[in-house]
Amino acid sequence: MCTEAEKSGELCCKSAGRMVNILSNQLKRRFLVPDDGNELTMLQRHMLHFIIVGSMHQDIFQKDVEAEFQIRKSTATGILQLLEKKGFICRESVERDGRLKRVAPTEKALAMRERVMQSLRCAETQMLQGRSGYLYAGAGPNVQEPFLQGAGL
């Protein structure tokens, strides 16, 4: 079935899956916390982005970080400790349970929030317009157009 669609230039399941994967990778690379020479690894930047954006809507705890990134408690602890040491986050006790520590962005991280949000909006705009390499360049309009339409974009 896919081979017939590929021959006719129509969207097929292989092309759609591949484009979703490419888009996902591009977003991971581009919309995160800007690299301002703060020597954060990619995973640390991913976590910081999650904490900065997530804390706008709810309290973030270490277990949320573990679930979001599908990492073990020891890995999350180590990365969060490094972010805390570098001054990007702090851990605060919550009133309802003294054992729980909320992971909160510091002023240093909050100063980056607008740039993070602006970077995210810019990446989404470029992706929706099919610019700047967000769509698989070799796919051609016969694949790009139906993909965007089928995704509601």
Side-chain angles (χ1 to χ4, degrees):
M1 185 170 109
C2 280
T3 55
E4 293 298 319
E6 288 172 337
K7 288 177 184 177
S8 66
E10 295 177 15
L11 180 66
C12 73
C13 58
K14 289 180 185 175
S15 296
R18 187 171 180 184
M19 288 184 74
V20 168
N21 191 26
I22 290 168
L23 287 170
S24 175
N25 288 336
Q26 291 295 320
L27 282 173
K28 285 177 187 176
R29 288 186 195 120
R30 296 183 185 202
F31 84 96
L32 297 172
V33 176
D35 186 12
D36 294 337
N38 48 34
E39 299 177 12
L40 295 176
T41 66
M42 187 60 78
L43 183 55
Q44 290 169 345
R45 289 169 56 193
H46 277 277
M47 277 193 191
L48 186 56
H49 176 269
F50 173 73
I51 293 165
I52 289 172
V53 174
S55 66
M56 294 171 63
H57 308 290
Q58 64 186 20
D59 287 343
I60 302 292
F61 299 97
Q62 179 169 329
K63 64 183 173 86
D64 299 321
V65 172
E66 293 165 11
E68 176 71 18
F69 295 98
Q70 298 178 3
I71 56 176
R72 294 182 180 182
K73 185 176 182 176
S74 59
T75 304
T77 298
I79 294 170
L80 292 173
Q81 284 175 342
L82 285 171
L83 289 174
E84 191 171 15
K85 183 178 177 181
K86 292 181 180 187
F88 289 106
I89 63 166
C90 63
R91 298 178 200 223
E92 305 167 340
S93 295
V94 292
E95 286 185 25
R96 67 177 187 260
D97 188 346
R99 297 170 294 174
L100 282 178
K101 299 277 188 187
R102 181 171 69 98
V103 178
T106 62
E107 291 299 320
K108 182 177 180 179
L110 291 175
M112 300 168 67
R113 179 180 277 167
E114 185 52 38
R115 285 186 303 174
V116 169
M117 298 307 291
Q118 183 179 8
S119 174
L120 180 58
R121 285 189 294 269
C122 179
E124 286 176 345
T125 300
Q126 288 179 352
M127 182 181 69
L128 291 173
Q129 293 175 354
R131 291 194 332 232
S132 193
Y134 279 99
L135 291 177
Y136 178 55
N142 290 338
V143 173
Q144 291 179 358
E145 296 296 323
F147 176 77
L148 291 174
Q149 291 170 357
L153 303 175

